[in-house]
Amino acid sequence: MARPRKPLLSTDRIVSVAGRLVDAEGLAALSTRRLAAELGVSGPSLYNHFRTKDEILEAVADSVSARVDLSMFEDGRDWRTALHDWALSYRAALRDHPNIVPVLARGPGRRPAGLRVADAVFGALVKAGWPPDRATSIGALMRYFVMGSALGSFAGGFVDDEAAYDPADYPHLGQAHLLADRQEKIDERAFETGLTALLDGLAQQYAQVRPTA
């Protein structure tokens, strides 16, 4: 009688299953024991690919960074348009995987995809004429803004119970109970409003940096 085949174990499969687990249940749900059970393998077999759980989380985070579109920095778009389009792609990747954002927020470290993102943004800004120190600050600023937007929903933070917003206590929140039902639209509009304001401010600074540009 043929012995049952064990599921093939690979780095990509470990990262994929770990990512699904984090997406579904959060960072606290991931352990090497739980992950091994999900994969149908013994726990020690994971250590042939990753030394620690933190290394697995770093790989999951990097797989999300790899989803961010960087083509706008290579196809001739001006720096402002490129930053705008990249921010939308960046936010979309984080919005689809919000539970891994705290790991991404630590910075790229040694993660290859994360470093490619940082390199593309910095390189495009310097090429456009921003001084390197300003380019570094802009990259950090964009990261703060996008990651902050992915950590939670403003509209989703309100309940749909009108009684929770008694006008005697909150005279300006009479419509707050409607926000949750319009969460996606409100959050998208808020992000676009903030992004436009941010880029407008940078454009004014750029005019000072490159007055003839």
Side-chain angles (χ1 to χ4, degrees), residues 4-201:
R5 295 178 59 189
K6 291 185 177 180
L8 294 176
L9 193 61
S10 67
T11 297
D12 287 346
R13 184 163 177 257
I14 293 170
V15 171
S16 177
V17 173
R20 290 200 298 270
L21 185 57
V22 170
D23 284 345
E25 301 182 35
L27 292 172
L30 184 67
S31 67
T32 53
R33 178 179 296 181
R34 173 75 184 278
L35 182 57
E38 294 286 336
L39 289 161
V41 299
S42 63
S45 62
L46 296 177
Y47 298 113
N48 293 323
H49 301 270
F50 295 98
R51 291 176 298 177
T52 65
K53 184 184 82 169
D54 282 345
E55 282 193 359
I56 297 172
L57 285 172
E58 289 287 311
V60 172
D62 211 38
S63 72
V64 173
S65 294
R67 299 168 186 261
V68 180
D69 182 15
L70 300 176
S71 64
M72 64 286 296
F73 298 117
E74 303 168 355
D75 61 11
R77 276 173 261 191
D78 65 89
W79 69 267
R80 177 182 173 140
T81 302
L83 278 184
H84 175 274
D85 296 347
W86 167 71
L88 295 181
S89 176
Y90 191 12
R91 181 171 182 261
L94 301 188
R95 184 185 57 209
D96 291 342
H97 306 280
N99 291 337
I100 200 66
V101 171
V103 179
L104 285 163
R106 300 171 189 165
R110 298 176 183 272
R111 299 193 297 267
L115 289 170
R116 282 192 291 273
V117 171
D119 182 72
V121 175
F122 179 79
L125 290 169
V126 170
K127 184 177 179 180
W130 286 97
D133 61 334
R134 300 288 285 276
T136 299
S137 297
I138 293 169
L141 169 64
M142 296 298 294
R143 181 168 165 268
Y144 299 152
F145 179 69
V146 177
M147 285 197 175
S149 75
L151 285 173
S153 163
F154 170 79
F158 293 86
V159 298
D160 62 0
D161 179 7
E162 186 174 3
Y165 307 104
D166 188 330
D169 296 320
Y170 315 107
H172 305 296
L173 296 182
Q175 302 295 308
H177 64 286
L178 302 175
L179 293 177
D181 285 340
R182 304 171 187 174
Q183 176 177 332
E184 184 174 354
K185 181 178 181 180
I186 291 171
D187 290 346
E188 291 289 341
R189 186 172 60 201
F191 181 79
E192 187 64 45
T193 299
L195 181 59
T196 299
L198 188 157
L199 294 174
D200 283 348

